[in-house]
């Protein structure tokens, strides 16, 4: 292809300018989330060759369906482009592997070739969006990122282009922790079980930002562990995305396409859906009967207690491993509000050792029970006081103390792209970190 793009895999965009130039979030090999996720469709040989030959790779964030070391090892790219994530964890990890890394400053355009330039915007949730100007065509690769203050920039950018595409995570909601149980041990049906039509929301989202076409993205996976296979009932398949859409000027395209920027022709790629075999958790060294050793419990206690915000909002975290409960006291008083995580020992301890607890949540085989007075917003949720502060700010951003959190949020606020966003979840997260900056520093306009 002379000039254009292709979409394949889970969240992989391939940009061509007289050959493969840039690939985003290449997940081509292996599984993700301790073996829980597998690709739902194969990557065709032609596109796989382009991925591995691309000059640049861009990694949006640290989730294993976006940052796959096994996949990167098979590529020949000269440079990995990264968002300006606070903490620099991904940059440090890649440089330790000997990878050449280049940071993309928020809101600044970078020329990659004669006809292609890119602009990256990171956010305080450790996600990022990539804007690609492809010879006068705009592609917004938002992958997992929500609008946390970038909306005005996005709309102003989109308004300058006649042709534009939005690629972002949508679906029924399984790409997060939905494996909740009540105190009697009964599974709580997730909102994803309703399988509300996706088309209207997708069309409204694209229209809100002034984007003309939508490509399903960042949500094309299946569950392959026998203890997470229950969640396959809640994944979105390719045919689900346009269901219910009405004509509002937004076109919902197939998930896997080739777009020729010189002719404007969109060609579906149509890789078949894979019949993913189910695997025993022991395939991934997870034995639900194994118990924690004393030193492992000490390590887990240090991990959770180091995240100071938890002691402001929770009394305890209980780890149920091998049928035995281990309660970690966070406040030193009361035991009214807490969380019970029931998980296999091996992956639980790996998530703590590697500080990637989000991988346990998103894998959807760990069982989660909320104890006490939690905000009721429909289905149970670990937002805004657990998941962001543990998985995003602490694990990825290295901000565990109140002072580190203050520096963390000041950094994102300084860049000019931080805000509450338009959704209840992003607004809740925004207000949850207000104590670390104070209402005045956030500005009255944010109230």
């Amino acid at each position: 292809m002379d000039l254009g793009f292709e979409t394949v895999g889970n969240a992989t965009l391939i940009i061509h300018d007289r050959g493969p130039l840039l690939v985003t979030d290449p997940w081509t090999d292996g599984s993700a989330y301790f073996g829980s996720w597998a690709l739902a469709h194969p990557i065709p040989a032609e596109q796989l060759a382009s991925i591995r030959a691309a000059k640049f790779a861009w990694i949006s964030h640290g989730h294993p369906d976006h940052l796959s070391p096994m996949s990167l090892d098979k590529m020949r790219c000269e440079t990995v482009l990264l968002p300006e994530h606070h903490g620099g964890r991904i940059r440090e990890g890649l440089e330790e592997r000997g990878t050449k890394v280049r940071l993309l400053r928020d809101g600044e355009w970078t020329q990659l070739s004669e006809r292609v330039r890119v602009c990256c915007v990171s956010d305080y949730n450790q996600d990022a969006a990539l804007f690609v100007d492809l010879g006068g065509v705009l592609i917004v690769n938002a992958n997992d990122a929500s609008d946390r203050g970038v909306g005005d920039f996005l709309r102003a950018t989109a308004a300058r282009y006649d042709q534009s595409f939005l690629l972002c995570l949508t679906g029924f909601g399984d790409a997060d922790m939905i494996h909740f149980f009540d105190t009697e041990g009964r599974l709580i049906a997730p909102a994803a079980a309703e399988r509300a039509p996706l088309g209207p929301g997708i069309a409204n989202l694209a229209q809100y930002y002034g984007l003309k076409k939508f490509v399903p993205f960042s949500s094309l996976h299946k569950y392959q562990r026998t203890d997470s296979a229950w969640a396959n009932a809640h994944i979105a398949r390719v045919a689900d995305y346009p269901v219910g859409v009405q004509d509002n000027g937004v076109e919902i395209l197939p998930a896997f396409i080739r777009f020729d920027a010189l002719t404007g022709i969109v060609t579906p790629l149509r890789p078949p859906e894979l019949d993913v075999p189910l695997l025993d958790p022991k395939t991934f060294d997870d034995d639900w009967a194994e118990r924690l050793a004393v030193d492992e419990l000490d390590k887990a206690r240090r991990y959770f207690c180091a995240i100071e915000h938890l002691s402001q909002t929770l009394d305890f975290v209980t780890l149920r491993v091998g049928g035995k409960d281990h309660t970690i006291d966070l406040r030193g008083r009361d035991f009214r509000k807490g969380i019970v995580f029931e998980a296999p020992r091996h992956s639980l301890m790996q998530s703590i050792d590697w500080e990637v607890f989000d991988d346990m949540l998103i894998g959807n085989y760990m069982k989660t029970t909320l104890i006490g007075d939690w905000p009721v917003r429909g289905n149970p949720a670990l937002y805004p006081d657990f998941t962001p502060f543990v998985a995003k700010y602490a694990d990825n951003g290295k901000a565990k103390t109140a002072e580190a959190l203050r520096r963390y949020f000041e950094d994102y606020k300084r860049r000019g792209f931080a805000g509450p966003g338009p959704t209840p979840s992003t607004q809740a997260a925004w207000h949850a970190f207000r104590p670390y900056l104070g209402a005045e520093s956030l500005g009255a306009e944010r109230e």
Side-chain angles (χ1 to χ4, degrees), residues 190-203:
E194 299 175 7
R195 298 186 71 84
L198 299 176
I202 290 171

Side-chain angles (χ1 to χ4, degrees), residues 53-87:
K55 183 177 180 180
F56 299 100
W58 178 76
I59 306 297
S60 61
H61 64 291
H63 281 158
D65 58 317
H66 297 262
L67 172 55
S68 168
M70 183 183 297
S71 303
L72 284 176
D73 284 344
K74 296 187 177 183
M75 294 179 60
R76 301 192 297 275
C77 68
E78 298 176 6
T79 307
V80 173
L81 308 174
L82 292 179
E84 196 180 4
H85 288 310
H86 184 96

Side-chain angles (χ1 to χ4, degrees), residues 354-420:
W354 300 344
E355 297 189 333
V356 290
F357 199 75
D358 217 11
D359 290 11
M360 292 297 293
L361 302 175
I362 297 174
N364 274 315
Y365 55 88
M366 181 168 69
K367 302 175 181 179
T368 299
T369 304
L370 304 182
I371 308 295
D373 182 22
W374 285 80
V376 178
R377 298 188 181 92
N379 280 73
L382 293 171
Y383 293 85
D385 288 309
F386 184 87
T387 297
F389 283 91
V390 173
K392 312 299 185 182
Y393 315 149
D395 280 356
N396 292 338
K398 303 180 182 180
K400 300 179 181 181
T401 67
E403 176 56 27
L405 283 167
R406 185 192 65 77
R407 294 193 301 268
Y408 182 96
F409 295 123
E410 283 285 8
D411 185 12
Y412 284 104
K413 178 173 173 287
R414 173 187 55 79
R415 302 180 195 183
F417 295 102

Side-chain angles (χ1 to χ4, degrees), residues 109-183:
W109 287 92
T110 300
Q111 202 77 33
L112 296 186
S113 69
E114 180 184 350
R115 297 177 289 181
V116 176
R117 60 177 186 151
V118 297
C119 175
C120 182
V121 179
S122 59
D123 66 41
Y124 59 82
N125 204 50
Q126 293 280 318
D127 287 321
L130 186 72
F131 299 73
V132 181
D133 183 325
L134 179 69
V137 175
L138 177 66
I139 307 160
V140 179
N141 177 358
N143 57 89
D144 292 5
S146 297
D147 180 355
R148 292 178 169 84
V150 73
D152 290 344
F153 179 80
L154 199 166
R155 281 187 291 271
T157 302
R160 297 195 291 269
Y161 291 83
D162 293 328
Q163 286 197 85
S164 57
F165 296 80
L166 173 62
L167 288 55
C168 73
L169 169 66
T170 51
F172 300 114
D174 77 286
D176 203 347
M177 162 57 78
I178 59 171
H179 204 202
F180 286 96
F181 290 74
D182 65 19
T183 54

Side-chain angles (χ1 to χ4, degrees), residues 17 95 147 194 196 206 290 310 329 340 342 373 396-397:
D17 186 0
E95 288 179 342
D147 180 355
E194 299 175 7
E290 288 184 353
L310 294 183
D329 185 353
V340 179
E342 183 176 356
D373 182 22
N396 292 338

